[in-house]
Amino acid sequence: MRRPEVGGRRLSRDRRGRGPGPSSCNHGDAAGAGRARAGHLGSGLLGVAAGLRGPRDRRSKLKMAQEVSCIGDCEDTMITEKYLAESKEPASHVQLACSMLYCAFPLDGNQLCLWSIRDPSHQLLILQGHLQSITAMAFGNKENPPLICSASQDYLMIWNLDECREKSLKGLVPRGTVMGTLLEKVLYLRFSPDDRVVAACAGSRVLVLDVESPCGIECHIHVLARACFHKGPGCSLTSWLGLGGVTAAPSRLAVLNTMLVWSWRLTPGDFGADVKPRLTLSESPSVLVELEGHQGPVTAAEFCPWQGQTLISVSEDRSFKVWDHCMGTLVYSSSVFAAYPLLSLFIDEDSKQLLTGCADGQLWVFSLIERHHYRCVARVDLRKKNKAFFTRRMESEVCSLTEETQRPSRKMLDQGEEAEAALPILMLAGCYLPRLLDAGCGVSLPSESSTCLWIASSTGLFIFHLASLELEHALHFKDFRCLSVQVAGSCAVTSQAADHKAFCLLTSMFGKRIAILEISLDTLVRSQQGPVPEKALSVLASSCVLPTSPLYLGVVKGKSTKPAGHKQSAVQSAVGDQPLVFHTKVRSSGYALPPRVTMFSPKTNIKKDGKRSSKCKINCKREEYPLETSVPSKPSKQVAVCQEPTAVTCVQYSGDGRWLACGLANSLSLVFEASLTGTPAALSGHDGAVSTLCWSHDQRWLLSTAQDQTLRLWSVHRKELLLLLGRGRLCKPVPSAQFYYMDAFILLSSGQELQLLRYHVDPVRDEIKRYKPRSRYECVFRLSTRGATEVTSLSAVNDFYSHVVLTAGRNRTLQVFDLNTGCSAAVIAEAHSRPIHQICQNKGSSFTTQQFQAYNLFLTTAVGEGVRLWDLRTLRCERSFEGHPNRGYPCRIAFSPCGRFVACGAEDRHAYVYNLGCSTFSHRLAGHTDTVSEVAFNPAAPQLATATVDGKLQLFVAQ
């Protein structure tokens, strides 16, 4: 059936908005409308296809501005201002839109202007059809056909951009389809992933409109007129639209400002034969559902990419809601979690996380994984992150033997001082960053697994790393004086993967300017890639030990003099020292007789020193660690370390996985079997809480430090003290100490110093002087940390030869030392906002193997900031784990032997296990009675041991 076509005039407003005047009329186009759901807008919604004027009529309103290049600190062009528009009406709080093809913005209030990104001539396309100012716009997700939806307080329209561009080139009038009238201000629009429905945020409601559903020929036409033209029911449409013989009675009367709105119900018989083809009645989409529940204006809404029926909305009531828009039901409603209104929303499909930004610069991250129940993963303060970003750029440095320390520029100092400004999060969008290969170290920047976001604020643009929760790059508008817009009211950004460019659309906060910026991502990454050494750092030793290195003493240890406890063989002692005397008569001296030697004299009074025969070692071999095993989450056994509640301060498994050592706050050290059965061995001697325990590589010795400023080395099997560093030797407490370089050294930190001790342990004691230990040590190397700050934690690998030592300072910095060269190799400033209390490296296990690159990963943790994963090759934070509560107690962390999981303690009486590739925890282990302070993985079996501050040890095994 052929659609009826009618002709009429397009009613326009004068500058004062008083309605149509007789001299301001112009012809236009219209299309049909569809019905709404029951009870919405009276009897239905209007659908009209409006005719628009091409760009030639309004070309003078847009400044064909000269391209202004802004380079900042770099030599290449970083930002180019491509176009600048002067609008008659401000658009500071209008939702803008950018796609891979166009940038869309309102011009003079009610005109929709599109700037082509790929068109070399950048010909502008201006679409006109709205009578009131445009408040929101959004592009469709499909490239064919390219759609854009625009909304104002009079109605909501959809445009096919291919048809509009084609008609504009042919000199015809482009046409759009009005989906319906909404008598509220629309703040946000969003297409579904398949472009079949559109979500419109109007007031406190979210309207879901079907783009493809036909509604028949029956429609409603709303005619806007001056209030003085109202003639009451029964008026003729001929005098209004020139339809010729079409009359109908108004079915609805509504007042909007100074205008009246009538609704007529039309049928095909109402149209006369002389109708002009100006208004086209088409099959219009309808409102499928109206979602109500927010207590304030809805500011943003997004469709879930992997669940097509799920819609999430945020509002000024400081909460978000999850809807099933197909059923029209509320799935989840969050509590009020923010102090300021929520302004922006983004859903990341890779990590299945929801991000929303507030007016005070707070970014909230929630998990959308089904079993996580929309829990909060992280909270990020954009102002603090911005300040920390510039602090790292100023203070981080890369040290080498041939180059001097890099110094921060004056401009970076100025930027750091400006970091206290308020940063409301206006927009969140996906960001593509090119991976640039650094020629010096062979490292890809940024990280290969990075997922980045654009964060738009009123003062600048930021690139946010979603995994590490850190800023990758920051662009402040004030740093580029050539930009026409210095304070933004609205923003939209799109990234081009092909040519490594991004386009940013800005509207002025206080003016009427609209600017389009082109950002070179290659230049941006190179200018702010941060400190990267010429040669990539690695935990694995890549060169021989230098003769000038302090580690050289450990290499030549086998060539040193014999220790004092070594004795000569019985044959040499019997023959070598006796004098030879000749006599005529020999009675009983026996000098002329050959010496009698006892070759194998049994030693009956010598205690065992813990050495095991090779036969016994072979019998104790275990199977390899299963790489594909599940997380040890099944509770197995729980024991109390003491009769009275005593905090467990540290735990560590031996290298063979047979023993578990734990230090207590009452100065004792206990050694349990790995199964937590039997009576533990007690090692006493400290006068303060034990702070560190470390097994030697051969599992013969156990090293302990305490708050009494002493270091003790024990023989576990004999339960004896073999080496003591007293208070006279160490002037300050030792927070960290360990064996290093395959048991060749003892590495410790005391105050601001890092000390390397060479030691010798003599387990054999003289029976006469049994209480006088014959073990000895000497300090062979000292290093002071940068800034003379106190060392809070250190870590180094002892299972294989490594030259790298990691330290953390009280000033929140991470410092990397290369003991082969004997100097600092790198400094990472502002690694955490609070001092780091533990560094944990991925040391693997002798029962399993990993890729050699995995050994360059290490973890850091600080109170109140969760856990961060770092890569030594790039000196970058690769991921943050902040799903566990850790606000006041220094809970510790551990790597699994396979390198796939991270375990950490928490203050909610649970232990948390994270998968290394996900920022949200995978398992939450219950069964504890107090704060979980310590965790440790068994290197030989899939077992996890946890300890609490009330003195309980809990063992978890794989299911």
Side-chain angles (χ1 to χ4, degrees):
M1 177 178 176
R2 184 178 179 182
R3 299 175 184 171
E5 297 181 347
V6 296
R9 300 180 300 172
R10 182 186 62 84
L11 304 180
S12 63
R13 295 181 302 167
D14 58 10
R15 293 184 178 179
R16 299 180 183 179
R18 294 175 297 182
S23 61
S24 62
C25 297
N26 191 10
H27 295 290
D29 301 322
R35 51 185 172 83
R37 73 177 183 92
H40 176 59
L41 294 181
S43 60
L45 290 175
L46 169 69
V48 181
L52 310 175
R53 291 186 295 177
R56 65 186 69 178
D57 298 333
R58 296 288 183 181
R59 187 63 55 87
S60 60
K61 296 182 179 290
L62 237 161
K63 292 186 178 180
M64 307 298 287
Q66 296 180 355
E67 295 185 0
V68 182
S69 300
C70 304
I71 61 175
D73 286 336
C74 53
E75 298 180 356
D76 299 331
T77 301
M78 182 185 300
I79 298 180
T80 302
E81 188 174 274
K82 306 294 290 186
Y83 278 91
L84 177 65
E86 289 283 353
S87 179
K88 292 183 178 179
E89 296 185 10
S92 59
H93 297 89
V94 177
Q95 179 196 4
L96 307 177
C98 285
S99 69
M100 304 298 292
L101 301 176
Y102 297 96
C103 292
F105 55 91
L107 186 63
D108 295 343
N110 61 350
Q111 299 180 21
L112 182 60
C113 183
L114 290 100
W115 183 83
S116 177
I117 294 177
R118 298 183 180 180
D119 188 2
S121 62
H122 298 295
Q123 184 179 3
L124 298 174
L125 178 63
I126 299 180
L127 307 178
Q128 185 175 354
H130 291 279
L131 300 180
Q132 298 189 29
S133 297
I134 299 175
T135 58
M137 60 196 70
F139 284 101
N141 298 303
K142 293 184 178 180
E143 295 186 0
N144 188 21
L147 302 177
I148 186 172
C149 182
S150 59
S152 62
Q153 287 190 353
D154 48 8
Y155 41 75
L156 186 146
M157 304 180 66
I158 288 185
W159 311 83
N160 188 321
L161 297 182
D162 284 346
E163 295 179 358
C164 293
R165 176 68 69 179
E166 182 180 357
K167 290 184 178 181
S168 178
L169 294 177
K170 292 180 179 181
L172 301 178
V173 178
R175 304 188 180 198
T177 301
V178 173
M179 298 179 62
T181 58
L182 300 172
L183 302 183
E184 286 188 79
K185 184 177 180 180
V186 178
L187 297 179
Y188 198 86
L189 293 172
R190 181 60 66 195
F191 277 90
S192 63
D194 55 3
D195 288 352
R196 292 186 177 182
V197 296
V198 175
C201 303
S204 60
R205 304 172 300 164
V206 180
L207 304 179
V208 181
L209 298 92
D210 194 347
V211 178
E212 297 181 349
S213 176
C215 297
I217 298 180
E218 181 185 7
C219 64
H220 299 78
I221 294 181
H222 289 197
V223 181
L224 278 70
R226 294 181 183 178
C228 59
F229 288 166
H230 174 50
K231 298 181 180 180
C235 63
S236 175
L237 291 179
T238 305
S239 59
W240 290 94
L241 297 178
L243 296 180
V246 179
T247 59
S251 60
R252 183 173 181 271
L253 180 63
V255 179
L256 181 63
N257 295 334
T258 60
M259 299 182 184
L260 295 180
V261 181
W262 284 271
S263 298
W264 284 270
R265 184 173 299 275
L266 301 180
T267 60
D270 293 333
F271 298 95
D274 57 344
V275 173
K276 300 178 181 180
R278 295 303 182 191
L279 289 174
T280 303
L281 299 180
S282 65
E283 295 178 349
S284 171
S286 62
V287 175
L288 296 176
V289 66
E290 180 179 338
L291 306 176
E292 294 182 341
H294 283 289
Q295 302 300 318
V298 181
T299 55
E302 295 287 342
F303 290 91
C304 184
W306 62 91
Q307 293 179 351
Q309 76 278 7
T310 301
L311 176 68
I312 303 177
S313 59
V314 296
S315 171
E316 291 184 3
D317 61 6
R318 299 164 294 164
S319 67
F320 73 89
K321 298 184 183 299
V322 182
W323 311 85
D324 187 337
H325 67 84
C326 295
M327 303 298 296
T329 58
L330 178 64
V331 177
Y332 176 80
S333 179
S334 73
S335 60
V336 176
F337 56 86
Y340 287 81
L342 304 178
L343 303 181
S344 54
L345 178 64
F346 181 82
I347 298 177
D348 182 64
E349 184 176 4
D350 296 334
S351 62
K352 290 182 171 51
Q353 290 180 342
L354 162 70
L355 293 91
T356 179
C358 304
D360 62 342
Q362 301 291 325
L363 182 66
W364 296 80
V365 184
F366 296 88
S367 175
L368 296 182
I369 299 177
E370 184 176 357
R371 64 179 182 273
H372 290 174
H373 306 291
Y374 306 99
R375 61 169 173 254
C376 181
V377 176
R379 176 187 175 187
V380 178
D381 191 332
L382 185 59
R383 182 183 59 83
K384 292 183 179 180
K385 292 294 183 180
N386 183 42
K387 183 178 180 180
F389 172 79
F390 286 106
T391 302
R392 286 194 299 268
R393 291 295 179 266
M394 289 187 292
E395 298 183 3
S396 297
E397 60 186 11
V398 178
C399 305
S400 63
L401 294 177
T402 58
E403 293 188 0
E404 297 180 355
T405 303
Q406 299 179 358
R407 300 296 180 184
S409 63
R410 178 69 247 177
K411 187 169 185 178
M412 295 177 66
L413 294 173
D414 297 338
Q415 289 173 339
E417 295 174 357
E418 295 177 358
E420 296 294 334
L423 300 174
I425 301 177
L426 304 178
M427 184 273 310
L428 297 171
C431 177
Y432 166 81
L433 280 183
R435 283 163 40 187
L436 302 179
L437 186 64
D438 188 85
C441 62
V443 177
S444 295
L445 300 173
S447 62
E448 299 178 0
S449 60
S450 63
T451 300
C452 296
L453 301 177
W454 284 106
I455 298 180
S457 183
S458 57
T459 60
L461 292 173
F462 306 91
I463 297 180
F464 182 72
H465 193 232
L466 185 56
S468 64
L469 303 179
E470 293 289 339
L471 290 183
E472 293 288 334
H473 307 284
L475 294 174
H476 291 270
F477 299 142
K478 291 184 179 181
D479 298 335
F480 304 92
R481 302 296 180 182
C482 55
L483 297 181
S484 301
V485 177
Q486 296 291 323
V487 181
S490 297
C491 181
V493 183
T494 181
S495 299
Q496 303 288 332
D499 51 3
H500 295 178
K501 291 182 179 180
F503 289 89
C504 177
L505 180 59
L506 298 175
T507 61
S508 178
M509 173 70 79
F510 307 108
K512 300 179 181 180
R513 291 184 174 182
I514 303 172
I516 300 177
L517 310 179
E518 181 185 271
I519 303 173
S520 174
L521 298 179
D522 289 342
T523 306
L524 177 63
V525 171
R526 290 193 182 97
S527 63
Q528 298 184 354
Q529 65 182 13
V532 177
E534 289 186 353
K535 184 178 180 180
L537 297 173
S538 177
V539 171
L540 300 175
S542 58
S543 60
C544 298
V545 178
L546 301 175
T548 57
S549 172
L551 303 179
Y552 188 74
L553 298 175
V555 177
V556 300
K557 183 177 180 180
K559 300 180 181 180
S560 60
T561 58
K562 298 178 181 179
H566 179 77
K567 294 184 178 181
Q568 294 179 342
S569 64
V571 176
Q572 292 177 352
S573 61
V575 179
D577 296 332
Q578 294 293 335
L580 183 60
V581 181
F582 296 94
H583 298 273
T584 56
K585 293 181 179 180
V586 178
R587 295 182 179 179
S588 62
S589 63
Y591 285 109
L593 299 176
R596 298 178 181 179
V597 180
T598 303
M599 298 298 295
F600 302 100
S601 176
K603 297 181 180 180
T604 58
N605 59 345
I606 301 299
K607 296 182 180 180
K608 296 182 180 179
D609 59 353
K611 294 184 179 180
R612 302 171 63 89
S613 63
S614 59
K615 180 179 180 181
C616 182
K617 291 182 179 180
I618 294 175
N619 294 334
C620 293
K621 284 186 177 180
R622 297 192 180 187
E623 298 180 357
E624 293 186 359
Y625 189 94
L627 295 179
E628 301 299 329
T629 184
S630 59
V631 174
S633 57
K634 180 181 178 180
S636 175
K637 189 177 181 57
Q638 186 182 76
V639 297
V641 296
C642 294
Q643 296 180 354
E644 298 181 356
T646 303
V648 180
T649 57
C650 52
V651 294
Q652 189 181 42
Y653 276 100
S654 60
D656 56 3
R658 298 180 64 246
W659 307 100
L660 176 65
C662 63
L664 307 181
N666 62 0
S667 73
L668 287 178
S669 297
L670 302 179
V671 180
F672 290 85
E673 294 184 3
S675 59
L676 299 183
T677 58
T679 303
L683 306 176
S684 62
H686 286 292
D687 293 333
V690 179
S691 57
T692 303
L693 287 175
C694 181
W695 289 89
S696 62
H697 181 66
D698 56 5
Q699 292 88 48
R700 296 170 60 194
W701 324 120
L702 182 64
L703 187 68
S704 65
T705 63
Q707 297 297 325
D708 59 357
Q709 301 181 14
T710 61
L711 181 147
R712 297 173 183 266
L713 191 148
W714 308 85
S715 174
V716 178
H717 300 281
R718 295 167 56 180
K719 304 177 185 179
E720 291 183 354
L721 178 65
L722 300 180
L723 184 64
L724 172 64
L725 277 74
R727 298 179 182 178
R729 176 65 179 79
L730 301 173
C731 58
K732 293 184 178 181
V734 182
S736 300
Q738 68 168 80
F739 291 97
Y740 177 57
Y741 214 65
M742 299 288 288
D743 295 343
F745 301 97
I746 294 178
L747 185 66
L748 62 91
S749 62
S750 179
Q752 64 186 21
E753 281 189 344
L754 186 68
Q755 300 183 18
L756 189 67
L757 304 181
R758 186 184 178 189
Y759 69 99
H760 169 70
V761 176
D762 186 7
V764 180
R765 296 180 181 273
D766 193 338
E767 291 298 327
I768 299 177
K769 302 178 179 179
R770 65 175 61 187
Y771 295 105
K772 182 179 180 180
R774 307 180 66 173
S775 302
R776 62 185 185 274
Y777 67 90
E778 63 173 335
C779 181
V780 296
F781 191 68
R782 296 173 183 264
L783 272 176
S784 296
T785 58
R786 182 178 181 268
T789 182
E790 180 183 354
V791 178
T792 58
S793 179
L794 68 84
S795 178
V797 177
N798 186 47
D799 295 335
F800 51 84
Y801 291 110
S802 175
H803 304 157
V804 173
V805 176
L806 307 176
T807 63
R810 181 95 30 203
N811 59 353
R812 306 180 300 278
T813 61
L814 278 173
Q815 193 163 0
V816 184
F817 290 95
D818 185 358
L819 293 192
N820 191 23
T821 59
C823 64
S824 175
V827 175
I828 305 174
E830 295 295 329
H832 286 264
S833 62
R834 295 185 180 182
I836 299 170
H837 62 262
Q838 185 188 3
I839 302 175
C840 180
Q841 289 182 266
N842 182 20
K843 302 178 181 180
S845 168
S846 58
F847 296 87
T848 183
T849 57
Q850 302 181 28
Q851 295 183 356
F852 68 93
Q853 299 92 340
Y855 294 102
N856 293 308
L857 301 177
F858 64 95
L859 301 168
T860 60
T861 181
V863 175
E865 281 208 339
V867 182
R868 294 186 179 180
L869 175 68
W870 301 81
D871 192 338
L872 184 63
R873 300 168 297 170
T874 59
L875 303 178
R876 294 160 44 92
C877 177
E878 301 296 336
R879 188 171 295 277
S880 292
F881 309 97
E882 298 186 4
H884 57 283
N886 180 21
R887 301 178 182 89
Y889 195 87
C891 301
R892 297 176 70 86
I893 53 180
F895 252 117
S896 65
C898 59
R900 297 166 51 209
F901 306 110
V902 174
C904 61
E907 297 172 347
D908 61 348
R909 301 181 180 182
H910 290 81
Y912 290 77
V913 179
Y914 293 87
N915 192 309
L916 206 62
C918 182
S919 299
T920 305
F921 63 84
S922 60
H923 292 78
R924 187 168 177 254
L925 308 181
H928 305 91
T929 57
D930 209 330
T931 299
V932 180
S933 58
E934 301 290 330
V935 291
F937 281 98
N938 191 323
Q943 297 177 355
L944 174 65
T946 62
T948 59
V949 296
D950 62 350
K952 300 291 182 59
L953 289 178
Q954 177 75 53
L955 184 64
F956 294 88
V957 297
Q959 296 183 355

